[in-house]
Structure formats: C-alpha cells, structure tokens
Amino acid sequence: MPEFENAMAVFRTDPSYEVQHIRGFLDERELKNLREEVAAIPREALELHEVKKFGRLIVHDWPPFVAMQAKLVDFVSELAGERVEPCYNFLSLYSRRGVCEPHLDTPSAKWTFDLCIDQSEPWPISFSSIIPWPEDRDALVEDWRAVKEARSHYKIRSLSLEPGEALLFSGASQWHFRDPIPADGRRAFCDLLFFHYIPEGTSELVQPRNWARLFDVPELDTIPGIELHA
Ligand SMILES: [Fe+2]
C-alpha cells in the first residue's frame, strides 16, 4: 500500500546517522538529584514483568522523568538532525541478571536517548549501523540471527557510558544489545533512563491502533494486538 509506505517513511533513519555520545551530560549536582528521584520511587510503582527476560525492574512515564524528557526536545532535535517530540520513557533498573538481547524497537522509539544514572561498572551497549527495514519476517529473523551470532554484515559498534553520560541512537533502525552484565558474583547493577522521541507531528501515526482510521482500511482493526501500545 504505497500511501502507508509513504506515510511511514518519516520513521526511517538517515543511513549516515552515527550514534551520538554525550559526555558530561549531567553535572555532579544534577546526577545527585536524579539519583534521589530514583530512590524516592515507591516499590509498588516498579513493574516486575521484565525481571525474567531482561533482569530489570522498570517504571514507565514517571512524572518527573516525563518533565525532564520534555525539556530535552530541542537538544535531542539538534542531535537527531530533525525536529522531534517526546513519546514514552522508562527507567530501567538492571540487576546482576541484566541482559538485553539483540532487537529493533518499533517506530515509537525512532530516537532513543539512553542516560546512565548509576552502575557497578561500565556495561557496554552495541549497535549496528543504520539498517534498511527488512522486507519480510524471514529476512528479519535471519538478520537477527546474524547479529546474535556475530556474523552480521552490518558494522557493529560498542560504547560504554559513565554515570551522567548519554547516547542517542535510532532504536527502530539499529540492532542493539547488551551482553550479560559483568557480575563476578559481586553486586552488579545498572540504572538507565530511556527517553524515546518521534518525529514532530507523528504521535497519531506511530500508533498502530490508529492506522485503520488514518488510512481508511477498517480491516486493519482486525489484526490481533493492533490496539496495543507500539
Ligand atoms: Fe531497545
């Protein structure tokens, strides 16, 4: 459907984009304030559904982080090379079982701003270069396998963050992963904030539940799961 393809092209990323590493993003005082904000989150607000797969507790759209994300719109737009607006965010508290398998995110994470709050030691994250979106499911699975087995033809780059540093990558167009957190039986942890941004003006389009209406294709509403958050 060319109309759909054309509309979704806004979520593709310029193939020449390189991950941006922002050193000294937060100063000591800002970092201290942020850590206090994290420590003040009540235990009952922590979501447990990713403990098994990722070894992490998460909190979505915590109000102080929503406010912080909104303030960064100009900064992230500059880094991304296009005007953006906030989408969702979450805090991720990785434990000694922390791991993140290679994956691509949905277009709602076209731009992912990953900020390190605290950690036991640096924990590298790896990225592929910008990939063209796979044409079908088999191609996607093969692409994923190649990244996982370290035989991908895409350039893979690893970066480590220090607390107060951030990265901006394109989560929907770059395979990304973290190997198991270096634990050595000691207490290992990594507290990260993920702010997701989308191109300005695409908040309706990014949600699959809106596609039936936007493209006048009622059949789309019959796809299982299409009502879910992207
Ligand atoms: Fe991701």
Side-chain angles (χ1 to χ4, degrees):
M1 199 172 111
E3 192 194 345
F4 181 73
E5 288 253 327
N6 290 342
M8 295 304 280
V10 71
F11 297 113
R12 293 180 189 261
T13 301
D14 180 341
S16 67
Y17 179 77
E18 297 274 351
V19 176
Q20 306 279 316
H21 185 175
I22 307 104
R23 293 179 177 81
F25 174 68
L26 296 181
D27 62 29
E28 282 302 318
R29 189 183 51 84
E30 291 168 325
L31 196 51
K32 182 168 172 282
N33 290 344
L34 187 53
R35 286 173 176 167
E36 284 171 5
E37 204 77 77
V38 171
I41 296 173
R43 289 182 67 90
E44 59 271 24
L46 299 171
E47 300 162 36
L48 305 175
H49 52 92
E50 293 194 351
V51 166
K52 223 171 166 180
K53 194 167 169 206
F54 294 89
R56 68 185 185 186
L57 297 167
I58 52 177
V59 186
H60 276 90
D61 298 324
W62 190 245
F65 301 148
V66 172
M68 187 177 171
Q69 183 179 12
K71 281 193 200 143
L72 292 173
V73 161
D74 288 342
F75 183 68
V76 173
S77 295
E78 188 76 25
L79 293 171
E82 67 174 346
R83 290 298 304 169
V84 298
E85 65 178 64
C87 196
Y88 67 109
N89 73 58
F90 62 86
L91 170 72
S92 184
L93 304 173
Y94 281 97
S95 70
R96 65 190 171 84
R97 292 188 211 284
V99 65
C100 186
E101 290 274 325
H103 68 284
L104 291 172
D105 293 304
T106 66
S108 58
K110 176 175 182 181
W111 298 109
T112 302
F113 189 83
D114 178 3
L115 169 61
C116 179
I117 302 170
D118 205 356
Q119 61 190 4
S120 45
E121 63 181 285
W123 185 26
I125 177 169
S126 301
F127 309 93
S128 73
S129 48
I130 303 293
I131 66 164
W133 288 356
E135 290 295 324
D136 58 52
R137 197 178 159 76
D138 288 349
L140 181 70
V141 171
E142 173 45 31
D143 225 24
W144 172 78
R145 282 219 174 91
V147 172
K148 199 170 158 58
E149 293 164 10
R151 56 177 174 81
S152 173
H153 59 274
Y154 301 118
K155 194 177 82 188
I156 306 285
R157 178 179 177 204
S158 296
L159 285 167
S160 292
L161 289 173
E162 294 294 336
E165 294 186 352
L167 292 171
L168 184 73
F169 61 97
S170 185
S173 289
Q174 292 182 273
W175 290 103
H176 50 287
F177 57 95
R178 282 181 162 98
D179 290 331
I181 202 166
D184 299 340
R186 288 168 292 117
R187 181 172 176 257
F189 71 98
C190 189
D191 300 346
L192 299 165
L193 250 178
F194 292 92
F195 292 155
H196 301 94
Y197 294 86
I198 51 177
E200 195 173 62
T202 61
S203 59
E204 285 262 285
L205 182 62
V206 81
Q207 296 291 349
R209 64 170 171 267
N210 295 328
W211 293 345
R213 175 171 51 80
L214 292 174
F215 298 100
D216 200 20
V217 184
E219 296 82 3
L220 282 174
D221 265 344
T222 63
I223 298 175
I226 200 153
E227 73 285 1
L228 300 175
H229 186 284

